Amino acid sequence: MNITRENIDALNAVVKVDIAKEDYSDKVEKILTDYRKSANIPGFRKGHVPMGMVKKQYGKAVLVDEVNKLLQDALGKYLVEEKLDVLGNPLPKPQDDLDWDADAFSFEFELGLAPEFEVNLKGKKAITHYNIVADDKMIDNQIEHIQKQYGKLISQNEVTETSEITGKFTNEEKEIENVATITLDKLKGKANAKKFIGAKVGDVIELKTKGLFNDDHDLMTFLKVSHEDAHGLDVNVNFEVSEINERELADLDQELFDKLFGPKAVTSVTELKEKIKQDSEKQFAQQGDQKLLNDVTEYLVESTKFDLPAEFLQKWMQTAGEEVMTEDQAKEEYEKSEKSMRYQLIEGKLITEHNLQVQFEELKAYAMEMIKGQMAQFGQMNPSEKELEDIAARILSNQEEVKRLSEQLMSQKLLNLYKAEANLKTKEITYDDFVKEFYS
């Protein structure tokens, strides 16, 4: 067997594999001999079928199968030995005139080669890492929410500005029929709120869905319409009042603190505010980190310049999936996934250069820490090491879980690398401002 490579350019190559008779003949002969021992052919005793007949009936199929096995094995070893970093899989060149009655065969494969490039984490323009903080307004709102949640409902005769109103939204045409509890601060504009003031149980209030709530998404919550219907919904709905309550806020006392955090964990309003601030900012940090990951990814894709073997990749995409694509479909798919492919190459280079590969012991420790955190949420504060290891072992026996946790751990490793090596600047921002700036 002889394997040669012709480099078309820096990103494309053709590998030629020449297979001679001596490469496959012994294996084919042995398989046919085994066939002869077990072949059941009418007119011949088992094991006494003439070899010529066995070759005539099975010879070509065995030959094709063994040559293909030999070809794939040789090509795989060649790519490893030559340390070729290929994209996609080798594509066999069409051979309409292949003669399987010949003794020697030649096969050619197109290769798409990964480009050479450098990754520079320290760009000229600093990337912002947002430190999201809980301001006094947010903490006060959270405390009020807690007081409402643990407070008492007091029945009222008529609706006031602070009432919680339960009733049924209906619209026959749109098949809307949903019981909901609303507060007037959810409504948009004074005119809508005014319709409720003074209403009593049994009253029916006619409303327009357009401009009814401050946030159109509330139509999904209170009217149970789809996301698509919520946007631009402009119909009349009736709201029949069935219950009116005033919520008496819970006292900020030790009984409430103990319900929230356990006995004596918090003993004052000052400690409560600090606890809410710490817990909130711990969650916000994850959002700030995710924004940083997204921004660094965007920067790396835009700033790291290299070419891809686009023509080869589009050709490979045509047959790589479950369904065969046309040229136009493959081109469209390539254009949609090019950015992702570029980042995968950049990420792979960073992982190799900075030795970020996920080791099993790291994955096990990560899984145990995750389990420990989840158990703490349910009040199990001190699980034993054996208990954690047993649960981790069960989780890591599932390949889907291993893949999911490995991806999470790799994201954390990359995040730590970016924090240490990238050109970053820190900006403090309140959660409300963060949401307005990036998610509105």
Side-chain angles (χ1 to χ4, degrees), residues 118-388:
E118 297 297 324
V119 181
N120 178 22
L121 283 170
K122 294 190 183 294
K124 290 180 181 179
K125 185 179 179 181
I127 297 170
T128 302
H129 184 204
Y130 290 93
N131 176 29
I132 308 170
V133 296
D135 60 0
D136 291 342
K137 179 185 173 185
M138 181 183 178
I139 293 170
D140 289 342
N141 287 340
Q142 185 64 25
I143 289 174
E144 186 179 347
H145 175 76
I146 291 170
Q147 287 181 279
K148 285 182 177 179
Q149 184 180 355
Y150 288 88
K152 296 177 183 177
L153 284 178
I154 300 171
S155 180
Q156 290 181 295
N157 293 323
E158 62 181 44
V159 175
T160 66
E161 289 183 355
T162 56
S163 297
E164 292 185 10
I165 312 120
T166 301
K168 184 188 286 187
F169 284 102
T170 56
N171 175 284
E172 191 173 335
E173 179 192 350
K174 290 290 184 180
E175 298 182 344
I176 295 169
E177 187 174 346
N178 189 60
V179 174
T181 299
I182 65 170
T183 53
L184 299 189
D185 61 324
K186 291 283 185 181
L187 300 176
K188 187 174 184 178
K190 292 180 180 179
N192 282 321
K194 191 176 179 181
K195 291 180 180 180
F196 283 83
I197 300 296
K200 296 179 174 60
V201 171
D203 287 353
V204 177
I205 302 166
E206 188 175 321
L207 303 161
K208 281 187 173 292
T209 56
K210 187 175 182 180
L212 178 57
F213 294 107
N214 292 313
D215 184 348
D216 282 345
H217 289 94
D218 281 343
L219 291 169
M220 298 164 57
T221 304
F222 296 121
L223 274 65
K224 285 292 183 284
V225 295
S226 68
H227 187 273
E228 292 77 14
D229 287 341
H231 290 283
L233 183 65
D234 187 8
V235 297
N236 291 335
V237 290
N238 288 329
F239 182 85
E240 183 177 355
V241 179
S242 59
E243 193 175 329
I244 307 166
N245 294 297
E246 176 83 23
R247 189 171 288 272
E248 185 181 89
L249 299 182
D251 291 331
L252 295 174
D253 56 17
Q254 194 59 51
E255 183 183 353
L256 178 61
F257 301 155
D258 290 349
K259 281 181 184 177
L260 293 170
F261 305 108
K264 304 298 181 183
V266 169
T267 59
S268 68
V269 174
T270 301
E271 289 181 14
L272 173 63
K273 288 184 175 182
E274 186 57 35
K275 177 68 173 169
I276 291 172
K277 182 177 176 66
Q278 288 175 1
D279 291 349
S280 298
E281 289 180 356
K282 188 176 180 181
Q283 294 178 16
F284 298 161
Q286 296 175 4
Q287 295 185 51
D289 285 347
Q290 186 58 56
K291 180 75 170 70
L292 178 62
L293 270 175
N294 294 344
D295 289 346
V296 174
T297 297
E298 193 72 26
Y299 156 74
L300 289 173
V301 171
E302 294 300 322
S303 65
T304 309
K305 304 298 183 183
F306 54 82
D307 292 326
L308 289 170
E311 188 177 334
F312 168 83
L313 288 170
Q314 289 173 39
K315 194 185 296 185
W316 169 68
M317 283 178 169
Q318 286 183 252
T319 56
E322 292 182 5
E323 295 183 7
V324 175
M325 293 184 187
T326 65
E327 281 187 36
D328 288 342
Q329 287 173 328
K331 184 178 180 181
E332 184 181 348
E333 184 63 29
Y334 173 78
E335 288 171 353
K336 285 194 291 187
S337 58
E338 182 184 2
K339 199 171 184 178
S340 173
M341 283 190 279
R342 287 182 177 279
Y343 181 67
Q344 285 175 11
L345 288 170
I346 294 167
E347 185 182 275
K349 192 170 185 69
L350 289 172
I351 290 169
T352 301
E353 287 183 348
H354 296 274
N355 197 28
L356 301 180
Q357 294 84 355
V358 172
Q359 306 298 330
F360 179 76
E361 286 304 316
E362 288 179 304
L363 191 61
K364 179 182 173 184
Y366 181 77
M368 288 172 66
E369 197 61 33
M370 179 197 71
I371 295 162
K372 191 174 180 180
Q374 290 176 344
M375 292 176 77
Q377 291 177 5
F378 294 96
Q380 295 175 266
M381 306 306 294
N382 295 301
S384 67
E385 193 76 8
K386 184 179 185 307
E387 193 175 5
L388 291 172

Side-chain angles (χ1 to χ4, degrees), residues 63-80:
L63 170 66
V64 171
D65 190 43
E66 288 308 308
V67 167
N68 278 323
K69 286 180 184 176
L70 188 65
L71 184 61
Q72 296 303 321
D73 185 53
L75 188 59
K77 285 181 179 177
Y78 176 80
L79 296 179
V80 172

